[in-house]
Amino acid sequence: MDTVTRRKFLITSGVVGASALAAGGAWTLRDVFDTATWDDRPGDAKTLVLVTLYGGNDGLANVIPFAEKGYREARNELAYTAEEVIRLNDTVGLNPALSGFKQMYDAGKLAVVRGVGYPKPDHSHFRSMDIWQTAQPDRPGNTGWLGRWLDTFGGDPRHAVSFEPVLPPLLAGANSAGAAVPVTGLALPNGVRTETLSQLGAPAEGEPPLQARAARAFADLVSVDALVRTAADGDHDDTGEETTGTGTGGRSDLKAQLDLVARCVEANVATRVFSVSLGGFDLHAEERDSQENLLRRLDEALTGFAARMAKTEAGRRVVVAVYSEFGRRVAANGSDGTDHGTASNMFLLGSPVRGGLYGEQPSLSDLDNGDLKFTTDFRAVYASLLSNVLDADPQRILGYSSALPGLF
């Protein structure tokens, strides 16, 4: 395709008008893979994969205190019997959908941190997520905790990558920001074929650099689309299993996102932090089956990812942290669901993690107006991740340095 024809297509499609964005702030998977040639990553550097569960994951349906007095009375039809749970000990067990988590727990590679929260919790999805992503419970600020880490690390966006259409606040720093790499597949206008886009992406002699980069984005669309489709092949997220969760953010294709992370890790890219997500946890009604479906997706995606990571040296330096903006109320509501609550669990997994139970299980009899009282400050988990995974000073980034001992 000659330069004139391509320029006409770019103009009529509106891409030339967006070329400044392509040159200055739009990132593709190709840009991330380009960092594999960098020499700025120590040989023993670890990688953090942060999994956000949007909607408020019900911690009492994940790590189940089946033996505690009052559990069955509070939960009614949502309660699990001692025979149904996957026991961790004589008092608590995992949801039946988390069989892969149990295997990792038995192998000493899954840490279950209980009662995670912060003082004066908020029941709003948006403010609570702001608090978790900024790590500032008193007054959420304008920077994310990993964005502030990026500020100290040199600032190149590709050191912290999100496979989201919009960059999450947790990767926004004061002087820099992570890279949002949208990988949602390719939808072409009528009459446009992928072969046309490939031709548009071929280099043309003598064209201006910005136009060349804008045009090259078309070739990236084709290659990324093929990669995403391959990653999603066999993904169980689209099994037809419905959930009753309301839309509060997050994606449904966690397995595909983690497959892309795995490819980046195996390519030895310079990225130190990846952000992925799973949504649908705002379950105010008919919670039990929907929760199990979501937890099964989580379990299958993370179990497969962990097994893949264990096969390579770079993969054995990956740590996964799973969190949600809050848990749910202790008592079930009248619709066999639960309403917004407070303290919940975090899961950490990977070869560097020292598995086991951490933190005190919140009491079901000593509640704060129907909510669990937190026993572990979430900043203690963040401090552990910063110091042991990202080799950073938690006091400088969080203003909080009390790491949770024993995780690494």
Side-chain angles (χ1 to χ4, degrees):
M1 181 176 292
D2 62 81
T3 302
V4 174
T5 303
R6 176 159 63 177
R7 178 169 177 78
K8 287 180 179 178
F9 186 92
L10 293 172
I11 291 172
T12 57
S13 64
V15 175
V16 168
S19 61
L21 176 63
W27 300 96
T28 69
L29 204 56
R30 177 184 296 185
D31 294 319
V32 179
F33 282 125
D34 283 346
T35 68
T37 62
W38 293 3
D39 188 23
D40 69 343
R41 183 183 177 111
D44 60 350
K46 299 182 182 67
T47 300
L48 173 63
V49 179
L50 196 64
V51 182
T52 303
L53 305 180
Y54 283 96
N57 180 31
D58 183 3
L60 290 174
N62 294 193
V63 183
I64 302 166
F66 64 89
E68 186 165 349
K69 182 179 179 180
Y71 164 69
R72 290 192 58 80
E73 291 79 2
R75 287 263 139 166
N76 298 324
E77 297 299 320
L78 298 180
Y80 289 87
T81 67
E83 292 71 33
E84 290 175 311
V85 302
I86 303 173
R87 293 194 181 202
L88 297 180
N89 57 32
D90 291 335
T91 61
V92 297
L94 295 174
N95 188 287
L98 296 175
S99 58
F101 274 36
K102 179 57 161 60
Q103 293 176 17
M104 291 187 285
Y105 182 87
D106 290 343
K109 301 304 179 185
L110 174 73
V112 181
V113 187
R114 300 174 292 178
V116 184
Y118 54 88
K120 299 179 181 178
D122 194 284
H123 289 88
S124 162
H125 286 294
F126 306 105
R127 183 170 178 82
S128 295
M129 190 55 75
D130 283 345
I131 288 171
W132 275 87
Q133 295 205 4
T134 64
Q136 296 169 319
D138 296 330
R139 179 180 295 181
N142 297 319
T143 59
W145 69 283
L146 288 171
R148 297 194 294 274
W149 164 80
L150 187 62
D151 283 341
T152 70
F153 194 70
D156 190 285
R158 289 166 290 180
H159 284 124
V161 170
S162 170
F163 291 129
E164 300 277 353
V166 178
L167 192 75
L170 71 94
L171 298 185
N175 304 308
S176 55
V181 181
V183 287
T184 54
L186 183 60
L188 295 177
N190 291 334
V192 178
R193 300 180 304 164
T194 55
E195 292 83 357
T196 303
L197 296 189
S198 297
Q199 292 174 354
L200 286 167
E205 186 177 353
E207 66 181 336
L210 288 182
Q211 181 180 314
R213 176 160 183 174
R216 192 168 65 247
F218 283 113
D220 285 344
L221 281 174
V222 176
S223 60
V224 169
D225 181 65
L227 183 61
V228 171
R229 291 182 188 277
T230 301
D233 185 37
D235 195 334
H236 296 290
D237 288 354
D238 297 320
T239 58
E241 295 176 337
E242 298 293 332
T243 72
T244 57
T246 58
T248 53
R251 295 174 55 177
S252 63
D253 57 343
L254 179 61
K255 186 177 290 187
Q257 294 171 70
L258 289 173
D259 190 84
L260 295 173
V261 173
R263 294 178 188 221
C264 290
V265 171
E266 290 162 355
N268 201 35
V269 301
T271 307
R272 297 290 303 276
V273 174
F274 291 94
S275 172
V276 297
S277 67
L278 177 64
F281 286 89
D282 194 21
L283 297 164
H284 291 272
E286 302 174 10
E287 179 180 316
R288 181 161 161 154
D289 288 346
S290 292
Q291 181 83 358
E292 283 196 22
N293 289 339
L294 288 166
L295 293 179
R296 190 171 295 108
R297 294 180 188 180
L298 180 69
D299 182 86
E300 290 179 355
L302 286 176
T303 301
F305 178 76
R308 181 171 175 176
M309 291 295 91
K311 296 178 181 179
T312 64
E313 183 178 350
R316 288 188 289 273
R317 294 194 296 270
V318 171
V319 173
V320 180
V322 185
Y323 79 101
S324 190
E325 67 261 45
F326 45 59
R328 316 294 288 191
R329 302 278 283 182
V330 172
N333 61 27
S335 301
D336 289 332
T338 52
D339 299 321
H340 300 174
T342 53
S344 190
N345 313 293
M346 286 187 68
F347 297 105
L348 276 68
L349 60 101
S351 295
V353 174
R354 294 177 61 186
L357 288 171
Y358 293 84
E360 180 183 350
Q361 183 70 30
S363 170
L364 297 185
S365 58
D366 181 19
L367 302 177
D368 180 10
N369 192 28
D371 281 326
L372 297 173
K373 294 180 179 179
F374 85 98
T375 59
T376 303
D377 194 305
F378 76 106
R379 291 168 295 180
V381 184
Y382 286 0
S384 298
L385 295 172
L386 286 166
S387 57
N388 293 285
V389 180
L390 298 178
D391 306 309
D393 177 9
Q395 180 65 40
R396 180 180 179 186
I397 294 166
L398 302 175
Y400 186 98
S401 59
S402 299
L404 190 64
L407 283 173
F408 298 96

